[in-house]
Amino acid sequence: MRFNDTGDPGTRARGNTEDDGQDLPEDVQNDVDRVAVVVAAGFRGPVWHQMAEELYAYAFGRLCAVMRRTDKLMRLTAKSKTPLAMTDEDRATLYRSAPDREHLAILTLNVAMETFPQLLKMGGYAPARNRGKDGRASRLTSYFYGRCGLVFPRVFYIWRAERTDRFFLHAVRMGDGILAHALGQTGPEPVPEDVGDLCDTLTTMINRLRPRDRAVWNLTVDGLSQGEIADVLGIKVGDVENARYRLRNQVRTRRRSGELHVPPGVAAEWARTRAQAKTRKKAA
């Protein structure tokens, strides 16, 4: 049985294209017919479930791929009512982190699908009337992917805010004495003046870091491993390594310039810790 655009039974010939007098490609016409079927069925049954699975599968891979290319992502979201603005850190995260891309893609698909049935019911998919720039009629999968582009910015901002909140939770300002305790310098005897100066300087440097890096170092001082920190913050182990490297690089630069003095005892302890880490890495 054939259906017209409202979902009512009809006798349209396969070549009919709604109202533009031109034939639709067979695959697009099949999409039009399937939409009519699922609308008539109230978006229930195997036809709708199969259609939804096809839409998810098509859009998921493309969303994951486009998030690695800022220019393509901007084109995809250009017609959204919510403009997409990304920082360098946002772009770097989406380029490097497959789990973040996949998570964002799933969130976007779910939001896009919430209103998609109603959109189809209202006749939103009209390939004969709404052709692309090249004049070609779009497949239903492409139409759904375009809808994902419209909702992506809003989903992205919510995702970013949740991640930032998680960083802030662990990015509390480090108090006095915490580093001295972590370095094993606290006890019945007062902390040596040079060690106290070093701890104060490092504490100030850590407290000036951006929230994610500050959270990494707070958890490091608490004794968590790189893998544990990555799990707590929801980031990659490589991101933890990079955060640690950035502060260590600042410390090295200040030591070379003479701005930062590391007492011999502390320097020896740092060297011993590095040697132990290398030994464990070789053993693994």
Side-chain angles (χ1 to χ4, degrees), residues 8 73 82 223 230 250:
D8 298 324
L73 185 58
T82 305
Q250 290 182 40

Side-chain angles (χ1 to χ4, degrees), residues 24 38 40 71-72 84 88 104 115 119 129 158 182 190 192 258 282:
L24 288 174
V38 297
D71 56 336
K72 292 185 177 181
L84 180 62
D88 289 341
L104 253 177
T115 57
L119 195 65
R129 294 194 299 269
I158 294 173
K282 288 181 180 179

Side-chain angles (χ1 to χ4, degrees), residues 157-186:
Y157 291 136
I158 294 173
W159 169 82
R160 185 172 65 182
E162 289 176 347
R163 292 178 86 243
T164 302
D165 288 344
R166 189 162 60 248
F167 297 152
F168 274 119
L169 178 65
H170 299 279
V172 293
R173 291 183 63 81
M174 187 175 290
D176 296 336
I178 293 179
L179 278 183
H181 177 74
L183 292 172
Q185 297 295 318
T186 53

Side-chain angles (χ1 to χ4, degrees), residues 11-263:
T11 56
R12 271 192 307 115
R14 175 163 289 279
N16 189 292
T17 60
E18 297 164 311
D19 60 7
D20 72 346
Q22 299 180 21
D23 289 344
L24 288 174
E26 184 174 5
D27 53 356
V28 177
Q29 183 65 59
N30 285 335
D31 285 343
V32 172
D33 294 338
R34 291 176 70 200
V35 168
V37 170
V38 297
V39 169
F43 299 94
R44 294 186 295 270
V47 177
W48 166 242
H49 293 312
Q50 180 180 353
M51 178 183 291
E53 288 179 2
E54 291 174 2
L55 296 175
Y56 267 84
Y58 178 90
F60 178 78
R62 283 161 179 77
L63 282 172
C64 289
V66 79
M67 277 186 264
R68 299 194 71 190
R69 292 285 303 274
T70 303
D71 56 336
K72 292 185 177 181
L73 185 58
M74 290 301 180
R75 285 199 293 271
L76 175 65
T77 61
K79 294 182 179 180
S80 175
K81 293 181 180 179
T82 305
L84 180 62
M86 302 174 67
T87 65
D88 289 341
E89 181 178 342
D90 293 333
R91 286 187 283 270
T93 297
L94 294 186
Y95 181 81
R96 294 195 310 265
S97 176
D100 282 317
R101 292 194 300 271
E102 292 170 0
H103 182 52
L104 253 177
I106 292 172
L107 293 175
T108 302
L109 290 169
N110 290 339
V111 172
M113 187 57 76
E114 286 177 1
T115 57
F116 200 61
Q118 184 64 23
L119 195 65
L120 295 181
K121 187 176 180 179
M122 295 172 61
Y125 177 59
R129 294 194 299 269
N130 303 319
R131 295 178 180 270
K133 293 182 179 179
D134 56 1
R136 298 179 60 183
S138 297
R139 294 291 309 272
L140 183 63
T141 48
S142 298
Y143 178 65
F144 177 69
Y145 179 55
R147 298 298 303 177
C148 291
L150 298 181
V151 304
F152 180 87
R154 178 163 54 93
V155 174
F156 172 78
Y157 291 136
I158 294 173
W159 169 82
R160 185 172 65 182
E162 289 176 347
R163 292 178 86 243
T164 302
D165 288 344
R166 189 162 60 248
F167 297 152
F168 274 119
L169 178 65
H170 299 279
V172 293
R173 291 183 63 81
M174 187 175 290
D176 296 336
I178 293 179
L179 278 183
H181 177 74
L183 292 172
Q185 297 295 318
T186 53
E189 298 294 329
V191 177
E193 185 176 353
D194 54 355
V195 173
D197 291 342
L198 171 65
C199 291
D200 289 345
T201 301
L202 293 177
T203 298
T204 300
M205 292 174 67
I206 290 173
N207 285 335
R208 288 176 177 172
L209 296 173
R210 59 183 180 176
R212 183 169 72 171
D213 287 7
R214 192 161 75 246
V216 166
W217 274 101
N218 281 334
L219 294 174
T220 297
V221 172
D222 285 343
L224 274 67
S225 68
Q226 290 187 354
E228 291 169 336
I229 294 172
D231 289 339
V232 169
L233 298 181
I235 58 179
K236 296 175 64 177
V237 172
D239 293 327
V240 176
E241 293 175 349
N242 289 336
R244 289 180 168 183
Y245 170 80
R246 281 189 284 270
L247 180 63
R248 286 170 176 157
N249 191 49
Q250 290 182 40
V251 172
R252 281 194 293 268
T253 300
R254 290 196 178 193
R255 290 183 68 182
R256 290 167 183 164
S257 67
E259 296 179 58
L260 182 68
H261 172 69
V262 179

